[in-house]
Amino acid sequence: MNYTFEFYRIRPGDKAHATLERIQQEASDLDAAMMKARSLFGSLDLPQKPDGVRILDEGGAEVFVWNPGGH
């Protein structure tokens, strides 16, 4: 199944989200996609460090959100 990973920053004042990067990934299931997203979170070369990542399924529905800082 194809998933979209969206890495984002959170603005402190109003908690608005700004997407830094969108990446398409193939994974056998949601658990595998979650492992890939967490792995990429610390290894991607982005202009800013992301605050979190969300995963969208093939239909564009949000199926997982993770932010290690607990925002």
Side-chain angles (χ1 to χ4, degrees), residues 3-6 30 33-35 37-38 53-57 61-66:
Y3 294 93
T4 301
F5 298 171
E6 290 187 349
L30 181 56
M34 292 181 338
M35 287 178 29
R38 288 180 175 148
V53 61
R54 71 185 199 132
I55 300 176
L56 309 174
D57 66 12
E62 181 178 280
V63 293
F64 178 74
V65 177
W66 181 68

Side-chain angles (χ1 to χ4, degrees), residues 24-69:
Q24 296 286 328
Q25 290 286 308
E26 190 170 320
S28 57
D29 57 24
L30 181 56
D31 287 335
M34 292 181 338
M35 287 178 29
K36 282 185 179 186
R38 288 180 175 148
S39 173
L40 287 172
F41 188 87
S43 64
L44 282 179
D45 185 22
L46 299 174
Q48 296 178 356
K49 183 180 178 200
D51 293 318
V53 61
R54 71 185 199 132
I55 300 176
L56 309 174
D57 66 12
E58 291 177 333
E62 181 178 280
V63 293
F64 178 74
V65 177
W66 181 68
N67 45 24

